[in-house]
Amino acid sequence: MISFTTRNIRKLILQILAESSEPMSRKDIIEKISKLVELTSHYLELTPKKKIPRWQAIVDWEISRMKKEDLIKRVDKGLYIITEKGRKTLVELSKE
């Protein structure tokens, strides 16, 4: 299992999108990540406002952040693909 860190989550989002032959929804990305990361009780706690597990809120926020950084692109309502910049970033993250 992979530890839940921002760096690892960003890398996983990019890997998942790079390996997908079709655009993916946030829900599908979050579901795949849930099977790959080790979640402590802290990350399983519900957020006060949205009442979703903390780890899901963090992944959701990272998807939005990565879109703004042009690492991923929304191609349709709620569907994402990796960009060329995202592919280059994934290569760099994989070297570390």
Side-chain angles (χ1 to χ4, degrees), residues 4-15:
F4 192 89
T5 65
T6 301
R7 182 188 171 284
N8 287 344
I9 294 308
R10 291 171 68 85
K11 183 178 176 183
L12 282 173
I13 292 168
L14 293 173
Q15 282 177 333

Side-chain angles (χ1 to χ4, degrees), residues 28-46:
D28 291 338
I29 295 167
I30 288 170
E31 184 178 319
K32 283 191 176 251
I33 288 175
S34 73
K35 296 174 183 173
L36 300 170
V37 296
E38 182 178 335
L39 298 168
T40 63
S41 58
H42 170 75
Y43 291 113
L44 294 171
E45 292 175 6
L46 299 181

